[in-house]
Amino acid sequence: YECQLVYMEKVIQALQERENALLESPTGTGKTLSLLCAVLSWRKDFIAGQKRKQMISATKSVSDIIMQQNVPARIIYASRTHGQLSQVVKELKKTSFKPRVALLGSRKQLCI
């Protein structure tokens, strides 16, 4: 959908310019998956670019370069309910991205 493409373009633009972004879209337009796929795609491309630079310089490790660029080691996605988080994980598994995922829940969710 066009609105998803525009949303993803804005997310990537904010990442490239190292700026915050305040984005909105109506319910049911795929904001969550658009956000996560855009971020994961950008991060994958960024790391690949850093690896190419490393091959040229051959003096620093990729992790050193990433740390110098302040690229987050993790993407943290938060939601109000456990059900929403579970849905995000389920949808993310349908994509080409296969990130490691950990769900954290409240005591109410975890205790018997």
Side-chain angles (χ1 to χ4, degrees):
Y1 297 108
E2 179 67 24
C3 65
Q4 290 173 324
L5 293 174
V6 171
Y7 194 91
M8 292 172 79
E9 287 170 0
K10 296 295 184 185
V11 169
I12 291 170
Q13 179 183 355
L15 289 166
Q16 289 173 335
E17 295 174 4
R18 296 187 178 270
E19 294 180 347
N20 295 325
L22 180 61
L23 306 169
E24 63 179 348
S25 188
T27 301
T29 56
K31 292 181 295 292
T32 300
L33 206 51
S34 294
L35 171 69
L36 290 173
C37 287
V39 170
L40 291 168
S41 179
W42 174 85
R43 189 172 191 280
K44 180 180 174 183
D45 290 346
F46 182 87
I47 290 171
Q50 294 304 317
K51 285 181 181 179
R52 283 191 296 277
K53 287 180 184 177
Q54 180 201 20
M55 293 178 126
I56 293 168
S57 69
T59 59
K60 296 181 182 177
S61 71
V62 174
S63 60
D64 289 340
I65 294 169
I66 290 171
M67 293 303 287
Q68 287 176 351
Q69 296 292 326
N70 295 322
V71 175
R74 293 181 182 93
I75 297 168
I76 299 172
Y77 180 85
S79 184
R80 190 174 52 83
T81 68
H82 194 267
Q84 289 171 333
L85 291 173
S86 296
Q87 182 65 27
V88 168
V89 171
K90 182 179 172 182
E91 291 298 319
L92 195 55
K93 286 181 180 179
K94 294 178 185 177
T95 71
S96 63
F97 300 103
K98 304 295 180 217
R100 290 184 301 169
V101 176
L103 288 177
L104 303 177
S106 67
R107 195 175 334 165
K108 182 178 178 182
Q109 288 288 331
L110 299 175
C111 295
I112 297 177

